[in-house]
Amino acid sequence: MTEPTSPQPLEVEAIPLNKFDESVLDSFAKDIAAQATRMDDLAKQLITLNLAIPGLYASVLKLVNGDDAVLNNPWLLFITFGAWLLALGLAFVSLFPERYDIESDNLTQIQHYFYRSARRKFWLVGAASLFSFFGICFAVFSLFLG
């Protein structure tokens, strides 16, 4: 009976990266790390928008409808301001950090941290944008009905 032979290790020759490849890898890593920052900037813009538009809407509503501006259709007003309040809350939540337990020397966990953080912010900012849009749509709709 023949004895099994142990597999021979493969010899792989590593090709060193040139300056261009190093630059591309560095840019890629910086872009992944900056994704959450871009979502934070967008969330800050949404907060500004969702603080300014309701005041502007209330002023226009008062000018268009006079003293009974709030009494025309209160459900549209509740839906409109509720959508803006929800959008404002989601934008604020996206700015709050979430705790992740990662090992600082594990590159895979660090990469997953950046992806998870950016994905979480993406969904929260996306939902805030949709609620802000719906609030604007209901505001325009209520102006035409009022």
Side-chain angles (χ1 to χ4, degrees):
M1 201 163 202
T2 61
E3 245 179 72
T5 58
S6 62
Q8 296 296 324
L10 294 176
E11 291 186 25
V12 178
E13 184 178 328
I15 300 172
L17 297 176
N18 61 26
K19 292 289 184 189
F20 176 76
D21 292 338
E22 288 177 5
S23 173
V24 168
L25 284 174
D26 185 48
S27 297
F28 176 70
K30 287 179 182 176
D31 187 54
I32 289 174
Q35 286 176 351
T37 305
R38 287 193 297 271
M39 288 292 139
D40 284 344
D41 293 340
L42 184 56
K44 291 174 189 174
Q45 292 296 324
L46 276 172
I47 289 170
T48 303
L49 181 72
N50 285 309
L51 288 174
I53 287 184
L56 181 63
Y57 171 67
S59 300
V60 167
L61 195 62
K62 182 73 171 170
L63 287 173
V64 170
N65 292 338
D67 289 336
D68 33 314
V70 179
L71 301 175
N72 282 345
N73 195 346
W75 285 109
L76 279 177
L77 289 176
F78 290 139
I79 292 171
T80 302
F81 281 101
W84 284 328
L85 185 62
L86 196 55
L88 186 63
L90 288 171
F92 272 121
V93 167
S94 74
L95 291 176
F96 296 142
E98 188 174 347
R99 182 167 172 77
Y100 295 105
D101 292 324
I102 59 170
E103 297 173 17
S104 60
D105 59 342
N106 188 333
L107 291 177
T108 304
Q109 284 186 352
I110 293 171
Q111 185 178 11
H112 286 299
Y113 159 76
F114 283 114
Y115 283 130
R116 278 183 300 193
S117 177
R119 188 179 319 121
R120 175 184 165 269
K121 289 176 185 288
F122 171 78
W123 286 110
L124 288 169
V125 169
S129 299
L130 283 176
F131 280 113
S132 184
F133 175 74
F134 287 134
I136 292 169
C137 290
F138 278 112
V140 170
F141 186 64
S142 70
L143 285 176
F144 287 123
L145 283 181

